[in-house]
């Protein structure tokens, strides 16, 4: 039986999936290093931020909460750049899948990148550096919960935007290896949120209780 690329016949779907998976070089060095950074980065910033919350070691090291947070922000940002570069290098030598090598797929990729970047940039604009990079662990809290765009369309625009960007580049280049990395990015962000969301909620609840007491 002959299968068109967009056929939804079960046999064709199975064939497509198999051909997509076959076109991933799991043993490639940069692919593995990219996966390492995707896994390592959120673990790193959660461990360091919790440590800061308990011991204030970064505040002391940098000589102030704000400066400590900037130091952490710079470190996280650099780790992010390293991860993105490895992703880029990993994709470069990974094969293109015939199933993904379609203008429709590339256009979907462009849309994902566009939406993703808008989410990331506007979220950073709304939160500022300390709001974006775990300022709450340093005792630097926002006055009010931000509800303006992009927070009216997404609970975690930074993570969703970043995931969408990975997805977009993978689709644009037609490389299934990128989709595997994207899936891992999504998984790691979901795990990170399981730790970050309750913590943030707790810190702000404490602050609100203190405010209420004062009044
Ligand atoms: C979110 O806010 C933007 C800008 O204020 C607005 O244009 C958009 O309609 C809002 N979306 C939702 C779902 O409320």
């Amino acid at each position: 039986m002959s299968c068109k690329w967009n056929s939804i016949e079960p046999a064709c779907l199975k064939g497509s999936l198999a051909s997509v998976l076959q076109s991933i070089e799991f043993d490639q060095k940069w692919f593995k290093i990219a996966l390492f950074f995707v896994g390592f980065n959120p673990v790193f910033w959660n461990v360091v931020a919790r440590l800061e919350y308990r011991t204030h070691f970064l505040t002391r090291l940098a000589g102030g909460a704000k400066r400590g947070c900037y130091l952490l922000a710079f470190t996280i940002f650099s780790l992010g750049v390293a991860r993105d570069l490895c992703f880029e290098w990993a994709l470069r030598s990974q094969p293109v899948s015939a199933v993904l090598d379609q203008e429709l797929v590339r256009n979907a990729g462009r849309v994902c990148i566009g939406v993703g970047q808008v989410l990331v940039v506007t979220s950073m604009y709304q939160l500022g550096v300390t709001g974006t990079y775990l300022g709450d662990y340093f005792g630097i809290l926002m006055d009010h919960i931000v509800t303006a765009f992009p927070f009216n369309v997404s609970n975690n625009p930074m993570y969703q935007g970043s995931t969408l960007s990975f997805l977009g580049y993978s689709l644009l280049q037609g490389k299934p290896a990128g989709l595997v990395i994207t899936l891992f990015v999504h998984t790691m962000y979901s795990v990170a949120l399981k730790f970050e969301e309750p913590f943030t909620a707790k810190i702000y609840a404490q602050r609100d209780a203190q405010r209420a007491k004062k009044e």
Side-chain angles (χ1 to χ4, degrees), residues 169-187:
Y169 281 111
S170 308
L171 293 177
L172 185 57
Q173 301 202 23
K175 303 204 169 169
L179 297 179
V180 172
I181 297 175
T182 303
L183 192 65
F184 192 43
V185 167
H186 173 71
T187 308

Side-chain angles (χ1 to χ4, degrees), residues 1 20 33 53 57 66 68 84 95 115 123 133 161 170 177 179 205-206:
M1 147 175 171
V20 164
I33 298 178
Y53 180 69
F57 80 107
K66 202 162 181 188
D84 295 352
V115 174
S123 150
Y133 292 103
S170 308
L179 297 179
Q206 279 171 358

Side-chain angles (χ1 to χ4, degrees), residues 25-36 86 89-90 93-94:
E25 286 173 11
F26 287 98
D27 269 344
Q28 187 227 4
K29 183 178 81 176
W30 288 111
F31 178 75
K32 287 192 218 163
I33 298 178
L35 284 179
F36 166 79
C86 293
W89 290 333
S93 54
Q94 289 280 341

Side-chain angles (χ1 to χ4, degrees), residues 54 87 94-95 123-124 150 156:
R54 287 212 200 121
F87 175 72
Q94 289 280 341
S123 150
M124 193 133 181
N156 298 288

Side-chain angles (χ1 to χ4, degrees), residues 87 91 96 100-113 164-176 178-179 182:
F87 175 72
L91 283 209
V96 171
L100 297 179
D101 194 11
Q102 316 284 341
E103 200 49 32
L104 185 70
V105 173
R106 280 189 286 276
N107 281 335
R110 289 182 186 109
V111 171
C112 288
I113 294 171
L164 272 176
S165 301
F166 278 103
L167 176 64
Y169 281 111
S170 308
L171 293 177
L172 185 57
Q173 301 202 23
K175 303 204 169 169
L179 297 179
T182 303

Side-chain angles (χ1 to χ4, degrees), residues 14 23 69 71-72 113 119 122 126 134 149 166 184 195 212:
K14 221 172 141 191
S23 56
C69 189
L71 181 64
L72 180 61
I113 294 171
L119 288 179
T122 53
Q126 293 287 359
L134 306 161
F149 184 86
F166 278 103
F184 192 43
F195 291 91

Side-chain angles (χ1 to χ4, degrees), residues 11 31 47 53 73 96 102 116 121 137 160 171-172 190 196-197 203 214-215:
F31 178 75
V47 168
Y53 180 69
V96 171
Q102 316 284 341
V121 169
Y137 294 74
Q160 287 177 342
L171 293 177
L172 185 57
S190 306
E196 291 165 17
E197 279 185 328
I203 304 256
K214 271 189 203 148
E215 279 159 19

